[in-house]
Amino acid sequence: MLGRILGAQTLLGKEATKQAVLHSIHSKSLVHFAAHGNPKTGEIYLARPISIDGTPQEDDYLLTMADISKVRLRAKLVVLSCCHTADGEIRAEGVVGMARAFLGSGARSVLAARWAIDDKATMHFMFRFYYHLVRGESASESLHKTMKWMRAGPFSGVRQWAPFMLIGDNVTFNFNKKRYAYEKTIDQFLNY
């Protein structure tokens, strides 16, 4: 849905292999992942590639911190709509995990989840977050307004609205051409 509204390239389902993702993310200004995150490391499970012998190895589909550290990103914002992506190993230099790997590779800002996220609540969360972002509001203002909206509605439980945190710069985008289409789509979704 986000790809259609924003006119962006998407990798969905079986297309979202580790190789395809690593090949395409280096030149994007906005990167969005909606996948499973490893509960211990926050590393991201992507589509399993079709292998010759029928049994892909975890390294073939697990997007790791090491993988991200090899990519030079130009992203203003990376959205990790995946469980545990703000987690990591606590070291003297801070929390070392997926969010930090994206920042270290050049992303200016990362929106990541601190714990396991609810699929339905997260879908609503992301619709509302992008609604504000497309209207020209900053990432932090979009996050704040989204959390406020979630708390006042049917997703008022802390586990539903509070897992996401923004790390890095407070970025904005100029989606003027896409704004009308997005607002119309979000209104239809929210009134469904």
Side-chain angles (χ1 to χ4, degrees):
M1 186 274 316
L2 291 174
R4 188 177 68 247
I5 292 167
L6 299 175
Q9 174 190 3
T10 58
L11 296 172
L12 301 173
K14 293 178 183 179
E15 297 174 343
T17 64
K18 181 175 170 177
Q19 182 180 10
V21 167
L22 290 172
H23 178 71
S24 66
I25 64 172
H26 65 88
S27 63
K28 307 299 182 215
S29 63
L30 174 61
V31 178
H32 181 100
F33 286 89
H36 294 289
N38 182 297
K40 293 182 181 176
T41 64
E43 294 173 321
I44 301 168
Y45 292 104
L46 298 171
R48 293 181 184 210
I50 299 170
S51 66
I52 296 169
D53 65 1
T55 52
Q57 299 299 309
E58 187 174 69
D59 190 48
D60 296 334
Y61 58 88
L62 183 66
L63 186 63
T64 66
M65 291 176 281
D67 295 326
I68 295 304
S69 70
K70 295 174 189 170
V71 179
R72 293 292 150 233
L73 299 174
R74 290 193 269 168
K76 287 173 94 175
L77 177 63
V78 174
V79 177
L80 301 175
S81 185
C82 320
C83 301
H84 307 286
T85 48
D87 290 348
E89 186 178 326
I90 299 173
R91 296 186 185 165
E93 62 270 23
V95 178
V96 178
M98 287 303 287
R100 185 168 176 165
F102 278 100
L103 291 169
S105 289
R108 289 184 49 203
S109 188
V110 176
L111 182 65
R114 290 177 284 218
W115 55 72
I117 54 179
D118 175 75
D119 289 344
K120 185 174 182 181
T122 300
M123 180 179 64
H124 285 269
F125 186 100
M126 289 300 160
F127 270 109
R128 185 58 67 165
F129 175 76
Y130 281 103
Y131 172 78
H132 292 290
L133 199 65
V134 168
R135 294 174 60 92
E137 297 172 34
S138 70
S140 65
E141 187 67 16
S142 297
L143 178 61
H144 170 73
K145 287 182 177 181
T146 299
M147 288 180 165
K148 185 177 176 182
W149 178 81
M150 295 283 285
R151 287 192 314 265
F155 303 104
S156 60
V158 172
R159 294 203 61 80
Q160 296 173 312
W161 63 264
F164 291 99
M165 63 185 289
L166 187 67
I167 308 165
D169 294 340
N170 188 21
V171 299
T172 58
F173 290 87
N174 183 0
F175 289 115
N176 287 336
K177 294 178 182 176
K178 315 278 191 255
R179 184 174 172 177
Y180 176 76
Y182 189 79
E183 287 176 351
K184 185 177 176 182
T185 302
I186 192 91
D187 287 342
Q188 290 171 347
F189 171 77
L190 295 175
N191 293 319
Y192 178 69

